[in-house]
Amino acid sequence: MTIPGNGRLISWYGDDYTGSAAVLEVLAFGGVESVLFLDVPSAEQLAAFPNVRAIGIAGVARSCSPTWMDEHLPRVFGALAMLETPLVHYKICSTLDSSPEIGSIGRAADIALPILNSTWSPMLVAAPPIGRYQAFGHLFASSNDGITRLDRHPVMSRHPVTPMKESDVARHIAAQTTLKTGCVDLLGLRARDRGFAALETIRAQGAQLITLDTIDHADLVAAGQLIWECRSEAPLVLGSQGVEYALIAYWNAISALSERPMPPGAGTVAQIAAVSGSVSAITAEQIEWARNNGFGLVAFDAASIANPADLDIAVESAVSEAKAVLSTGQSVLVHSARGPDDPAVAAFRAAIGASTLDLAEANSIIGIALGQVLKRLLAQASISRAVVSGGDTSGHATQQLGVHALTALAPTIPGAALCVAHGSLNRPLQLALKGGQMGTPDYFGWIRSGGGAAYKDGRS
């Protein structure tokens, strides 16, 4: 079975902005022309991209409650259904960030299956190119300590919102839905029939959400074949950007895509502006690298969230300090914290405790405030390239910028490409969205240098 010679192939909704952009990157650099919208697009906005074969919508469901999902996701899935793509992908984090209360993947599946007329759904969380592996149902992720099971991962096991206490993907999802779960494991996927017999057995047992083991490229090809060839009965697929890695791998294996060289870098610029709402240790290393390599750091007072007047002062102060940094010729990085041990984190949590806000609301306020800071810097300084760091932060901050769509421009680290921003902007803007756990220490410098295929040659 082959893919159509032209026309749309896949649409997707990402439960956070950085993950949504990661899907865009895999497809675009894999040879599938793609666009990512930051909300359900209008007919006019769609018409501006007539030749794309993949269409995405970025969202913030990962940081939202099931009640929020019940209210907002039917509109999104309805819009995706109207695009009439063979596959619709609900994109989740490759480290499975979710719980029954926040970012529930199970609830999203409950909503999507009937809207998309999907009898069941394959689920591929693993993405070997970015260090995510599933073996015999359990998810493993790379870190500075090597590859560890998700419930023992040094970051995810202690995640401040959705700590991972269960590495079995099907079990983790089963706690979020009444849908029956199952797994096509490595033995089944690597059988002569490439997983179809194992799938049939699991489906006969009534499973509707079926996870797929994957640890290497050959597994990606097999998983991609299973996902693609089951699309008529299972047009909904759940998972990370591993879904797109798998589809590209399969389509290349059957010579269904034209070869496309990796795009060159976008070139070095003198200055960039970055904002970060991440508290991860990985982002802290990146901030420290930036401090030592031509970036001026500006601390944003996250503890100001409880009082609107204090928050306004914090925004004004950050903008003023950032403009002062830019006036010296340096790039600027505005951050709410420099890692989990920064005293700013404790002050932020104390401010939440003294207010009526919950953590999700507080995080959204920080993201919006950082977006306002970045918007004003872009309007008042000659900056044409920017970064937003932090999965939840990216969604809330980018919504402040007047951007309605992104197209991929240049690769950097996998999962955080440099993109072209489209929208009501005063000047051309190149934008990168980076999850807190993503990237090498020199990531901000790599964006300043414009990315490009050199990354694959070992520059970073």
Side-chain angles (χ1 to χ4, degrees), residues 17-18 21 266-267 269 271-278 282-283 286-287 289-290 295-298 322 326 331-336 366-367 369-378 383-401 403 406 410-413 415-421 428-451:
Y17 274 43
T18 55
V269 294
Q271 293 175 297
I272 69 169
V275 296
S276 174
S278 169
I282 291 173
T283 300
Q286 294 163 345
I287 293 173
W289 184 95
F295 284 73
L297 303 186
V298 173
L326 291 170
S331 294
V332 67
L333 199 168
V334 181
H335 58 85
S336 61
I366 292 297
L370 289 173
Q372 292 171 346
V373 170
L374 182 56
K375 179 180 180 179
R376 290 176 56 178
L377 292 178
L378 294 174
I383 297 295
S384 61
R385 187 175 296 169
V387 184
V388 181
S389 173
D392 295 338
T393 303
S394 291
H396 298 297
T398 306
Q399 289 174 350
Q400 307 301 307
L401 302 182
V403 175
L406 299 174
T412 61
I413 56 103
L418 186 60
C419 297
V420 175
L429 174 64
Q430 297 169 359
L431 182 65
L433 307 179
K434 185 197 81 70
Q437 312 302 330
M438 305 296 290
T440 52
D442 64 345
Y443 176 77
F444 292 110
W446 189 225
I447 291 296
R448 185 177 56 193
S449 298

Coordinates of all heavy atoms in Angstrom, one line a residue, residues 17-18 21 266-267 269 271-278 282-283 286-287 289-290 295-298 322 326 331-336 366-367 369-378 383-401 403 406 410-413 415-421 428-451:
Y17 N 2.6 23.8 22.8 CA 3.1 24.4 21.6 C 4.5 23.8 21.2 O 4.7 23.6 20.0 CB 3.3 25.9 21.8 CG 2.1 26.7 21.6 CD1 0.8 26.2 22.0 CD2 2.1 27.9 20.9 CE1 -0.3 27.0 21.8 CE2 1.0 28.7 20.7 CZ -0.3 28.2 21.1 OH -1.4 28.9 20.9
T18 N 5.4 23.5 22.1 CA 6.7 23.0 21.7 C 6.5 21.6 21.0 O 7.2 21.3 20.0 CB 7.6 22.9 22.9 OG1 7.0 22.1 23.9 CG2 7.9 24.2 23.5
A21 N 5.2 22.0 17.5 CA 6.3 22.5 16.6 C 7.2 21.3 16.3 O 7.8 21.3 15.2 CB 7.0 23.6 17.2
A266 N 19.9 29.3 9.0 CA 19.3 30.6 8.6 C 20.3 31.7 8.7 O 20.0 32.9 8.5 CB 18.1 30.9 9.5
G267 N 21.6 31.4 9.1 CA 22.6 32.4 9.3 C 22.7 33.0 10.6 O 21.7 33.1 11.4
V269 N 22.8 35.9 13.5 CA 22.4 37.2 13.7 C 23.1 37.8 14.9 O 23.6 37.0 15.8 CB 20.8 37.3 14.0 CG1 20.1 37.0 12.7 CG2 20.4 36.5 15.2
Q271 N 22.0 39.6 17.5 CA 21.3 39.5 18.8 C 20.0 38.7 18.6 O 19.4 38.8 17.6 CB 21.0 40.9 19.3 CG 22.1 41.8 19.6 CD 21.6 43.2 20.0 OE1 21.1 43.9 19.2 NE2 21.8 43.6 21.3
I272 N 19.7 38.0 19.7 CA 18.4 37.4 19.8 C 17.8 37.8 21.1 O 18.5 38.2 22.0 CB 18.4 35.9 19.6 CG1 19.0 35.2 20.8 CG2 19.0 35.5 18.3 CD1 18.8 33.7 20.8
A273 N 16.5 37.6 21.2 CA 15.8 37.8 22.5 C 15.2 36.4 22.9 O 14.5 35.8 22.0 CB 14.7 38.8 22.4
A274 N 15.3 36.0 24.1 CA 14.7 34.8 24.6 C 14.0 35.0 25.9 O 14.5 35.8 26.7 CB 15.8 33.7 24.8
V275 N 12.9 34.3 26.1 CA 12.3 34.2 27.4 C 12.1 32.8 27.8 O 11.9 31.9 27.0 CB 10.9 34.9 27.4 CG1 11.0 36.4 27.1 CG2 9.9 34.3 26.4
S276 N 12.2 32.5 29.1 CA 12.2 31.2 29.6 C 11.3 31.1 30.9 O 11.6 31.8 31.9 CB 13.6 30.6 29.9 OG 13.5 29.4 30.6
G277 N 10.3 30.2 30.9 CA 9.6 29.9 32.1 C 9.8 28.5 32.6 O 9.1 28.1 33.5
S278 N 10.8 27.9 32.1 CA 11.2 26.5 32.5 C 12.0 26.5 33.8 O 12.8 27.4 34.0 CB 12.0 25.8 31.4 OG 12.5 24.6 31.9
I282 N 18.0 21.1 32.9 CA 18.6 21.2 31.5 C 18.5 22.6 31.1 O 19.5 23.2 30.5 CB 17.8 20.3 30.6 CG1 18.1 18.8 30.9 CG2 18.2 20.6 29.1 CD1 17.3 17.8 30.1
T283 N 17.4 23.3 31.3 CA 17.3 24.7 30.9 C 18.3 25.5 31.7 O 18.8 26.5 31.2 CB 15.9 25.2 31.1 OG1 15.0 24.5 30.2 CG2 15.8 26.7 30.7
Q286 N 21.5 25.6 30.1 CA 21.5 26.4 28.9 C 21.5 27.9 29.3 O 22.2 28.7 28.6 CB 20.2 26.1 28.1 CG 20.2 24.7 27.6 CD 18.9 24.2 27.1 OE1 17.8 24.8 27.5 NE2 18.8 23.1 26.4
I287 N 20.9 28.3 30.4 CA 20.9 29.7 30.8 C 22.4 30.0 31.3 O 22.9 31.1 31.0 CB 19.9 29.9 31.9 CG1 18.5 29.8 31.4 CG2 20.1 31.3 32.6 CD1 17.4 29.8 32.5
W289 N 25.1 28.6 30.2 CA 25.9 28.7 29.0 C 25.7 30.1 28.4 O 26.7 30.8 27.9 CB 25.6 27.6 28.0 CG 26.4 27.6 26.8 CD1 27.5 26.9 26.5 CD2 26.3 28.4 25.6 NE1 28.1 27.2 25.3 CE2 27.3 28.1 24.7 CE3 25.3 29.4 25.2 CZ2 27.5 28.7 23.5 CZ3 25.5 30.0 24.0 CH2 26.5 29.7 23.1
A290 N 24.5 30.5 28.3 CA 24.2 31.8 27.7 C 24.9 32.9 28.4 O 25.4 33.9 27.8 CB 22.7 32.0 27.6
F295 N 25.2 36.6 26.3 CA 23.8 36.9 26.6 C 23.8 37.6 28.0 O 24.5 37.2 28.9 CB 23.0 35.6 26.8 CG 22.6 35.0 25.5 CD1 23.5 34.3 24.7 CD2 21.3 35.0 25.1 CE1 23.1 33.6 23.5 CE2 20.9 34.4 23.9 CZ 21.8 33.7 23.1
G296 N 23.0 38.6 28.1 CA 22.7 39.2 29.3 C 21.5 38.6 29.9 O 20.5 38.4 29.2
L297 N 21.5 38.3 31.2 CA 20.4 37.6 31.9 C 19.5 38.7 32.6 O 20.1 39.6 33.3 CB 20.9 36.6 32.8 CG 21.7 35.4 32.3 CD1 22.0 34.4 33.4 CD2 21.1 34.8 31.1
V298 N 18.2 38.5 32.5 CA 17.3 39.3 33.2 C 16.3 38.4 34.0 O 15.6 37.6 33.4 CB 16.5 40.2 32.3 CG1 15.4 41.0 33.1 CG2 17.4 41.2 31.6
A322 N 15.8 44.4 30.0 CA 16.2 43.7 28.7 C 16.6 44.7 27.6 O 17.6 44.4 26.9 CB 15.0 42.9 28.2
L326 N 20.2 44.8 25.5 CA 20.3 44.9 24.1 C 21.1 46.1 23.6 O 21.8 46.0 22.6 CB 18.9 44.9 23.5 CG 18.0 43.6 23.6 CD1 16.6 43.8 23.2 CD2 18.7 42.5 22.8
S331 N 22.9 39.7 23.3 CA 21.5 39.1 23.3 C 21.0 39.1 24.7 O 21.7 39.3 25.7 CB 21.6 37.6 22.8 OG 22.0 37.6 21.4
V332 N 19.7 38.9 24.8 CA 19.1 38.9 26.2 C 18.2 37.7 26.4 O 17.6 37.1 25.5 CB 18.2 40.2 26.3 CG1 17.0 40.2 25.4 CG2 17.8 40.4 27.8
L333 N 18.3 37.2 27.7 CA 17.5 36.1 28.1 C 16.8 36.4 29.4 O 17.4 36.6 30.4 CB 18.4 34.8 28.3 CG 17.7 33.5 28.3 CD1 18.8 32.4 28.2 CD2 16.9 33.2 29.5
V334 N 15.4 36.5 29.3 CA 14.6 36.8 30.5 C 14.1 35.5 31.0 O 13.5 34.7 30.3 CB 13.4 37.7 30.1 CG1 12.6 38.1 31.3 CG2 13.9 39.0 29.4
H335 N 14.3 35.3 32.3 CA 14.0 33.9 32.9 C 13.3 34.1 34.2 O 13.5 35.0 35.0 CB 15.3 33.1 33.1 CG 16.3 33.8 34.0 ND1 16.2 33.7 35.3 CD2 17.3 34.6 33.7 CE1 17.2 34.4 35.9 NE2 17.9 35.0 34.9
S336 N 12.4 33.2 34.4 CA 11.7 33.2 35.7 C 12.4 32.4 36.8 O 12.2 32.6 38.0 CB 10.3 32.6 35.5 OG 10.3 31.2 35.1
I366 N 2.5 33.4 34.3 CA 3.9 33.6 34.0 C 4.1 33.6 32.5 O 4.8 34.4 31.9 CB 4.7 32.5 34.7 CG1 4.7 32.7 36.2 CG2 6.2 32.6 34.2 CD1 5.3 34.1 36.6
G367 N 3.5 32.6 31.8 CA 3.7 32.5 30.3 C 3.2 33.7 29.6 O 3.9 34.2 28.7
A369 N 2.8 36.7 30.9 CA 3.7 37.9 31.2 C 5.0 37.8 30.4 O 5.4 38.9 29.9 CB 4.0 37.9 32.7
L370 N 5.6 36.7 30.3 CA 6.8 36.6 29.5 C 6.5 36.9 28.0 O 7.4 37.5 27.3 CB 7.4 35.2 29.7 CG 8.1 34.9 31.1 CD1 8.5 33.5 31.2 CD2 9.2 35.8 31.3
G371 N 5.4 36.4 27.5 CA 5.0 36.8 26.2 C 4.8 38.3 26.0 O 5.2 38.8 24.9
Q372 N 4.3 38.9 27.0 CA 4.2 40.4 26.9 C 5.5 41.1 26.8 O 5.8 42.0 26.1 CB 3.3 40.9 28.0 CG 1.9 40.5 28.0 CD 1.1 40.8 29.2 OE1 1.7 41.1 30.3 NE2 -0.2 40.7 29.1
V373 N 6.4 40.5 27.7 CA 7.8 41.1 27.6 C 8.4 40.9 26.3 O 9.0 41.9 25.7 CB 8.7 40.4 28.7 CG1 10.1 40.8 28.5 CG2 8.2 40.7 30.1
L374 N 8.3 39.7 25.7 CA 8.9 39.5 24.4 C 8.3 40.3 23.3 O 8.9 40.9 22.4 CB 8.8 38.0 24.1 CG 9.4 37.5 22.7 CD1 10.9 37.9 22.7 CD2 9.3 36.0 22.5
K375 N 6.9 40.4 23.4 CA 6.2 41.2 22.4 C 6.8 42.7 22.4 O 7.0 43.3 21.3 CB 4.7 41.2 22.7 CG 3.9 42.0 21.7 CD 2.4 42.0 22.0 CE 1.6 42.8 21.1 NZ 0.1 42.7 21.4
R376 N 6.9 43.2 23.5 CA 7.4 44.6 23.6 C 8.9 44.8 23.1 O 9.2 45.8 22.5 CB 7.2 45.2 25.0 CG 5.7 45.4 25.4 CD 5.5 45.8 26.8 NE 6.2 47.0 27.1 CZ 6.1 47.6 28.3 NH1 5.3 47.1 29.2 NH2 6.8 48.7 28.6
L377 N 9.7 43.7 23.4 CA 11.1 43.8 22.9 C 11.1 43.7 21.4 O 11.9 44.4 20.8 CB 11.9 42.7 23.5 CG 12.1 42.7 25.1 CD1 12.9 41.5 25.5 CD2 12.9 44.0 25.4
L378 N 10.3 42.9 20.8 CA 10.2 42.8 19.4 C 9.7 44.1 18.7 O 10.2 44.4 17.6 CB 9.3 41.6 19.0 CG 9.8 40.2 19.4 CD1 8.8 39.2 19.0 CD2 11.1 39.9 18.7
I383 N 15.0 43.3 16.7 CA 15.2 41.9 16.9 C 14.4 41.1 15.9 O 13.2 41.3 15.8 CB 14.8 41.5 18.3 CG1 15.7 42.2 19.3 CG2 14.9 40.0 18.5 CD1 17.2 41.8 19.3
S384 N 15.0 40.2 15.2 CA 14.2 39.4 14.2 C 14.2 37.9 14.5 O 13.7 37.1 13.7 CB 14.9 39.6 12.8 OG 16.2 39.2 12.8
R385 N 14.8 37.5 15.6 CA 14.9 36.1 16.0 C 14.7 36.0 17.5 O 15.3 36.7 18.3 CB 16.2 35.5 15.6 CG 16.3 34.0 15.7 CD 17.6 33.4 15.2 NE 17.7 33.6 13.7 CZ 18.8 33.4 13.0 NH1 19.9 33.1 13.6 NH2 18.8 33.6 11.7
A386 N 13.9 35.0 17.9 CA 13.5 34.9 19.3 C 13.3 33.4 19.7 O 13.1 32.6 18.8 CB 12.2 35.7 19.6
V387 N 13.4 33.2 21.0 CA 13.2 31.8 21.6 C 12.2 32.0 22.7 O 12.3 32.9 23.5 CB 14.5 31.2 22.1 CG1 14.3 29.8 22.6 CG2 15.6 31.3 21.0
V388 N 11.3 31.0 22.8 CA 10.5 30.8 24.0 C 10.8 29.4 24.6 O 10.7 28.4 23.9 CB 9.0 30.9 23.8 CG1 8.2 30.8 25.1 CG2 8.7 32.3 23.1
S389 N 11.3 29.4 25.8 CA 11.7 28.1 26.4 C 10.7 27.7 27.5 O 10.4 28.5 28.4 CB 13.1 28.3 27.0 OG 13.5 27.1 27.8
G390 N 10.3 26.4 27.5 CA 9.3 25.9 28.4 C 8.1 25.4 27.7 O 7.5 26.2 26.9
G391 N 7.7 24.2 27.9 CA 6.5 23.7 27.2 C 5.3 24.5 27.4 O 4.6 24.9 26.5
D392 N 4.9 24.6 28.7 CA 3.6 25.4 28.9 C 3.8 26.9 28.6 O 2.9 27.5 28.1 CB 3.2 25.2 30.4 CG 2.9 23.7 30.7 OD1 2.5 23.0 29.8 OD2 2.9 23.4 31.9
T393 N 5.0 27.4 29.0 CA 5.3 28.8 28.7 C 5.1 29.1 27.2 O 4.6 30.2 26.9 CB 6.7 29.1 29.1 OG1 6.9 28.8 30.5 CG2 7.1 30.6 28.9
S394 N 5.6 28.2 26.3 CA 5.6 28.5 24.9 C 4.2 28.8 24.4 O 3.9 29.7 23.6 CB 6.2 27.3 24.1 OG 7.5 27.2 24.4
G395 N 3.2 28.0 24.9 CA 1.8 28.2 24.5 C 1.3 29.6 24.9 O 0.8 30.3 24.1
H396 N 1.4 29.9 26.1 CA 0.8 31.1 26.7 C 1.6 32.3 26.1 O 1.0 33.4 25.8 CB 0.8 31.1 28.2 CG 0.0 30.0 28.8 ND1 -1.4 29.9 28.6 CD2 0.3 28.9 29.5 CE1 -1.9 28.8 29.2 NE2 -0.8 28.2 29.7
A397 N 2.9 32.2 26.0 CA 3.7 33.4 25.6 C 3.5 33.6 24.1 O 3.3 34.8 23.7 CB 5.2 33.1 25.9
T398 N 3.5 32.6 23.3 CA 3.4 32.8 21.8 C 2.1 33.4 21.5 O 2.0 34.2 20.5 CB 3.6 31.5 21.1 OG1 4.9 30.9 21.5 CG2 3.7 31.7 19.6
Q399 N 1.0 33.1 22.2 CA -0.3 33.7 21.9 C -0.3 35.2 22.1 O -1.2 35.9 21.6 CB -1.3 33.1 22.9 CG -1.7 31.7 22.6 CD -2.6 31.1 23.6 OE1 -2.9 31.7 24.7 NE2 -3.1 29.9 23.3
Q400 N 0.7 35.8 22.7 CA 0.8 37.3 22.9 C 1.4 38.0 21.7 O 1.4 39.2 21.6 CB 1.6 37.6 24.2 CG 1.1 36.9 25.4 CD -0.3 37.2 25.8 OE1 -0.7 38.4 25.8 NE2 -1.1 36.2 25.9
L401 N 2.0 37.2 20.8 CA 2.9 37.8 19.8 C 2.2 38.2 18.5 O 2.9 38.8 17.6 CB 4.1 36.9 19.5 CG 4.9 36.4 20.7 CD1 6.1 35.5 20.2 CD2 5.5 37.7 21.4
V403 N 1.1 36.0 16.3 CA 1.5 35.0 15.4 C 0.3 34.0 15.2 O -0.3 33.6 16.2 CB 2.7 34.2 15.9 CG1 3.1 33.0 15.0 CG2 3.9 35.1 16.0
L406 N 3.2 28.8 12.0 CA 4.6 28.6 11.9 C 4.9 27.7 10.7 O 4.1 26.7 10.5 CB 5.1 28.0 13.2 CG 5.0 28.8 14.5 CD1 5.5 28.0 15.7 CD2 5.8 30.1 14.4
A410 N 14.8 25.9 9.8 CA 16.1 25.3 10.0 C 16.2 24.4 11.2 O 15.6 24.7 12.2 CB 17.2 26.4 10.1
P411 N 16.8 23.2 11.1 CA 16.9 22.3 12.2 C 17.9 22.8 13.2 O 18.9 23.5 12.9 CB 17.4 21.0 11.6 CG 18.2 21.5 10.4 CD 17.5 22.7 9.9
T412 N 17.7 22.5 14.5 CA 18.6 22.7 15.5 C 18.7 21.4 16.3 O 19.0 20.3 15.7 CB 18.2 23.8 16.5 OG1 17.0 23.6 17.1 CG2 18.1 25.2 15.7
I413 N 18.5 21.3 17.6 CA 18.4 20.1 18.3 C 17.0 19.4 17.9 O 16.0 20.2 17.6 CB 18.5 20.2 19.8 CG1 17.4 21.2 20.3 CG2 19.9 20.7 20.2 CD1 16.3 20.6 21.0
G415 N 13.4 18.5 17.8 CA 12.3 18.9 18.6 C 12.2 20.3 19.0 O 11.3 20.8 19.7
A416 N 13.1 21.2 18.4 CA 13.1 22.6 18.7 C 13.7 23.4 17.6 O 14.6 24.1 17.7 CB 13.8 22.9 20.0
A417 N 13.1 23.2 16.4 CA 13.7 23.8 15.2 C 13.4 25.4 15.2 O 12.6 25.9 15.9 CB 13.0 23.2 14.0
L418 N 14.1 26.0 14.4 CA 13.9 27.5 14.1 C 12.8 27.6 13.0 O 12.9 26.9 12.0 CB 15.2 28.1 13.6 CG 15.1 29.6 13.4 CD1 14.8 30.3 14.8 CD2 16.5 30.1 12.9
C419 N 11.8 28.4 13.3 CA 10.6 28.5 12.4 C 10.4 29.9 11.9 O 11.0 30.9 12.5 CB 9.4 28.0 13.1 SG 9.3 26.3 13.7
V420 N 9.7 30.0 10.8 CA 9.2 31.3 10.4 C 7.8 31.6 11.0 O 6.9 30.7 10.9 CB 9.1 31.4 8.8 CG1 8.5 32.7 8.4 CG2 10.5 31.2 8.2
A421 N 7.7 32.7 11.6 CA 6.4 33.1 12.2 C 5.5 33.9 11.2 O 6.1 34.8 10.5 CB 6.6 33.9 13.4
P428 N 9.6 40.7 9.7 CA 9.8 39.2 9.7 C 10.3 38.7 11.1 O 11.2 39.4 11.7 CB 10.8 39.0 8.6 CG 10.7 40.2 7.7 CD 10.3 41.4 8.7
L429 N 9.8 37.6 11.5 CA 10.3 37.0 12.8 C 10.6 35.5 12.6 O 9.8 34.8 12.0 CB 9.2 37.2 13.8 CG 9.4 36.5 15.2 CD1 10.6 37.2 15.9 CD2 8.2 36.6 16.1
Q430 N 11.7 35.1 13.1 CA 12.1 33.7 13.2 C 11.9 33.4 14.7 O 12.4 34.1 15.6 CB 13.5 33.5 12.7 CG 13.7 33.8 11.2 CD 15.1 33.8 10.8 OE1 16.0 33.6 11.6 NE2 15.3 34.1 9.5
L431 N 11.3 32.2 14.9 CA 10.9 31.9 16.3 C 11.2 30.4 16.6 O 10.9 29.6 15.7 CB 9.4 32.2 16.5 CG 8.8 31.9 17.9 CD1 9.4 32.8 18.9 CD2 7.3 32.1 17.9
A432 N 11.8 30.1 17.7 CA 12.0 28.8 18.1 C 11.3 28.5 19.5 O 11.3 29.4 20.3 CB 13.5 28.5 18.3
L433 N 10.6 27.4 19.6 CA 9.9 27.0 20.8 C 10.6 25.7 21.3 O 10.8 24.7 20.6 CB 8.5 26.7 20.5 CG 7.7 27.8 19.8 CD1 6.2 27.3 19.5 CD2 7.7 29.1 20.6
K434 N 11.1 25.8 22.6 CA 11.9 24.7 23.2 C 11.3 24.2 24.5 O 11.0 25.0 25.4 CB 13.3 25.2 23.4 CG 14.2 24.1 23.9 CD 15.5 24.7 24.6 CE 15.3 25.1 26.0 NZ 15.1 23.9 26.9
G435 N 11.1 22.9 24.6 CA 10.6 22.3 25.8 C 11.7 22.4 26.9 O 12.9 22.4 26.6
G436 N 11.3 22.4 28.1 CA 12.3 22.5 29.2 C 13.3 21.4 29.2 O 14.5 21.7 29.6
Q437 N 12.9 20.2 28.8 CA 13.8 19.1 28.9 C 14.7 18.9 27.7 O 15.5 18.0 27.6 CB 13.1 17.8 29.1 CG 12.0 17.8 30.2 CD 12.6 18.1 31.5 OE1 13.7 17.8 31.8 NE2 11.8 18.8 32.4
M438 N 14.5 19.8 26.7 CA 15.1 19.6 25.4 C 16.4 20.4 25.2 O 16.5 21.5 25.7 CB 14.2 20.0 24.3 CG 12.8 19.4 24.3 SD 12.9 17.6 24.0 CE 13.4 17.6 22.3
G439 N 17.4 19.8 24.5 CA 18.5 20.6 24.0 C 19.8 20.5 24.7 O 19.9 20.1 25.9
T440 N 20.9 20.8 24.0 CA 22.2 20.8 24.5 C 22.5 22.1 25.3 O 21.8 23.1 25.1 CB 23.2 20.6 23.4 OG1 22.9 21.6 22.4 CG2 23.2 19.2 22.8
P441 N 23.6 22.2 26.1 CA 23.8 23.4 26.8 C 23.9 24.6 26.0 O 23.6 25.7 26.4 CB 25.2 23.1 27.5 CG 25.1 21.6 27.7 CD 24.5 21.1 26.5
D442 N 24.4 24.5 24.7 CA 24.6 25.7 23.9 C 23.4 26.0 23.0 O 23.5 26.7 22.0 CB 25.8 25.5 23.0 CG 25.7 24.4 22.0 OD1 24.8 23.6 22.2 OD2 26.5 24.3 21.1
Y443 N 22.2 25.6 23.4 CA 21.0 25.7 22.5 C 20.8 27.2 22.2 O 20.5 27.5 21.0 CB 19.8 25.1 23.2 CG 18.5 25.4 22.4 CD1 18.3 24.6 21.3 CD2 17.6 26.4 22.7 CE1 17.2 24.8 20.5 CE2 16.5 26.6 21.9 CZ 16.3 25.9 20.8 OH 15.2 26.1 20.0
F444 N 20.8 28.1 23.1 CA 20.5 29.5 22.8 C 21.5 30.1 21.8 O 21.2 30.9 20.9 CB 20.5 30.4 24.0 CG 19.3 30.0 24.9 CD1 19.5 29.4 26.2 CD2 18.0 30.3 24.5 CE1 18.4 29.1 27.0 CE2 16.9 30.0 25.3 CZ 17.1 29.4 26.6
G445 N 22.8 29.6 21.9 CA 23.8 30.0 20.9 C 23.6 29.4 19.6 O 23.8 30.1 18.5
W446 N 23.1 28.2 19.6 CA 22.8 27.5 18.3 C 21.6 28.3 17.6 O 21.7 28.4 16.4 CB 22.4 26.1 18.6 CG 22.3 25.1 17.5 CD1 21.3 24.2 17.3 CD2 23.1 25.0 16.4 NE1 21.4 23.5 16.2 CE2 22.6 24.0 15.6 CE3 24.3 25.6 16.0 CZ2 23.2 23.5 14.4 CZ3 24.9 25.2 14.8 CH2 24.4 24.2 14.0
I447 N 20.7 28.8 18.3 CA 19.6 29.6 17.7 C 20.2 30.9 17.1 O 19.9 31.3 16.0 CB 18.5 29.9 18.6 CG1 17.7 28.6 18.9 CG2 17.5 30.9 18.1 CD1 17.0 28.0 17.7
R448 N 21.0 31.5 17.9 CA 21.7 32.8 17.4 C 22.5 32.5 16.2 O 22.5 33.4 15.3 CB 22.6 33.3 18.5 CG 23.2 34.6 18.2 CD 24.1 35.1 19.4 NE 25.1 34.2 19.8 CZ 25.8 34.2 21.0 NH1 25.5 35.2 21.8 NH2 26.6 33.3 21.3
S449 N 23.1 31.3 16.0 CA 23.8 31.0 14.8 C 23.0 30.5 13.7 O 23.5 30.3 12.6 CB 24.8 29.9 15.2 OG 25.8 30.3 16.2
G450 N 21.7 30.3 13.9 CA 20.8 30.0 12.8 C 20.5 28.5 12.5 O 19.9 28.2 11.5
G451 N 21.1 27.6 13.3 CA 20.8 26.2 13.1 C 21.4 25.7 11.8 O 22.3 26.3 11.3

